[in-house]
Amino acid sequence: MKDLVKNLTDRSLYLLLIAIGLFCLAFVIDKYIIGTTSARYYANLIENDIQDKEENFQKLASDTALLRTLVDRTYTETLLQKVLEKEKKYSFFIYKKDSANHHTLIFWNTQTALPPINILDESDASRAVRLSNGLYIHISKSVDISGGHYFVEGLIPVMWEYFVEIENLKKEFVSFPEAGKRVTVTKTATEYPVRSSFGNTLFYLEKTNVERQQSSWPAVLLVLAGVFFLVI
């Protein structure tokens, strides 16, 4: 009888130690391995997405024939559909600058936002800006069209963020909604910078708080295995 009790006690202790080990391993994997690799993974994804759209904007802003058509409003409906925000995945605006340094909006392809006025007349530059509906990358290019001086301003949406969140207006990364479960944007320097195609740092990513972070499937499986060893 004593041997039986001893064997059961030793078995229970052994299973308990296995369960504790699995719980600890799940915590380490979820916080230090999955969390870190996810932050780096999403930093690369978001950076590549921004840079692809910046390069597309640069091609558009260098196409003087297209810009002239848009400025003169001689475009066809087919052409207009091709340059709308829904198709381009970013918005752009054409401003004409006069001798008094006034900027007049000539063409725009969206109704969702307006870029900050390019007071410094920056060209071939990119920066992060916060507008009323979220975080954008503001990119600018100076061009001459038919003897006039114009600025093409682009807005690349990065994250939707609203003062009041409701079901259809949630805070999320535009191109990668699932990224919000693992990372968030910060101004504080971290190991996960997101850079523009010009090489400057636009913003940084940081891992979300453990309380807000959704557990990864490897961690969930380890926890379930730990529970299994507790109940057998």
Side-chain angles (χ1 to χ4, degrees):
M1 184 68 180
K2 289 182 179 180
D3 290 340
L4 177 61
V5 172
K6 183 177 183 300
N7 289 336
L8 289 175
T9 302
D10 290 344
R11 179 174 178 273
S12 297
L13 181 60
Y14 178 69
L15 294 175
L16 177 61
L17 291 175
I18 291 177
I20 292 173
L22 289 172
F23 292 149
C24 292
L25 183 59
F27 176 79
V28 170
I29 287 176
D30 205 43
K31 182 174 182 181
Y32 296 103
I33 299 178
I34 299 295
T36 299
T37 54
S38 293
R40 187 172 293 109
Y41 169 74
Y42 283 118
N44 289 334
L45 273 185
I46 293 169
E47 181 177 275
N48 290 336
D49 181 66
I50 290 172
Q51 291 184 4
D52 286 345
K53 289 171 182 173
E54 285 179 332
E55 290 171 5
N56 187 280
F57 171 85
Q58 291 284 48
K59 291 179 181 178
L60 179 145
S62 299
D63 189 343
T64 54
L66 171 62
L67 296 180
R68 186 180 299 109
T69 300
L70 298 178
V71 167
D72 295 340
R73 299 186 180 182
T74 56
Y75 47 80
T76 63
E77 180 63 24
T78 301
L79 176 60
L80 179 62
Q81 292 300 320
K82 288 182 179 179
V83 299
L84 289 179
E85 180 186 26
K86 183 178 180 181
E87 182 69 24
K88 302 297 288 182
K89 306 303 181 186
Y90 63 85
S91 52
F92 70 93
F93 312 79
I94 305 175
Y95 288 87
K96 184 174 184 180
K97 181 182 176 182
D98 60 24
S99 57
N101 205 32
H102 293 149
H103 294 74
T104 303
L105 183 58
I106 304 297
F107 178 87
W108 57 96
N109 75 334
T110 184
Q111 302 286 346
T112 59
L114 275 176
I117 296 298
N118 188 0
I119 299 176
L120 300 179
D121 291 348
E122 292 180 292
S123 183
D124 297 308
S126 185
R127 67 205 71 79
V129 296
R130 285 195 178 274
L131 302 180
S132 60
N133 61 344
L135 179 70
Y136 289 81
I137 303 306
H138 181 199
I139 183 170
S140 307
K141 188 171 182 64
S142 171
V143 294
D144 291 318
I145 304 172
S146 302
H149 194 49
Y150 294 81
F151 281 92
V152 186
E153 309 287 342
L155 284 177
I156 299 171
V158 176
M159 173 184 281
W160 301 130
E161 189 172 13
Y162 304 91
F163 182 73
V164 177
E165 289 190 30
I166 59 176
E167 183 64 27
N168 295 325
L169 298 175
K170 292 183 177 181
K171 178 180 178 180
E172 64 179 10
F173 287 93
V174 176
S175 298
F176 310 100
E178 74 284 357
K181 299 173 184 177
R182 289 286 166 185
V183 294
T184 188
V185 173
T186 180
K187 294 180 180 179
T188 305
T190 69
E191 301 175 66
Y192 317 109
V194 174
R195 298 184 176 89
S196 76
S197 56
F198 302 102
N200 60 300
T201 299
L202 297 167
F203 54 85
Y204 297 88
L205 295 184
E206 65 179 356
K207 293 179 284 185
T208 56
N209 295 331
V210 175
E211 292 79 7
R212 296 176 54 199
Q213 203 173 93
Q214 180 173 315
S215 296
S216 59
W217 65 265
V220 172
L221 290 178
L222 287 172
V223 169
L224 291 176
V227 172
F228 172 77
F229 280 105
L230 282 178
V231 299
I232 63 172

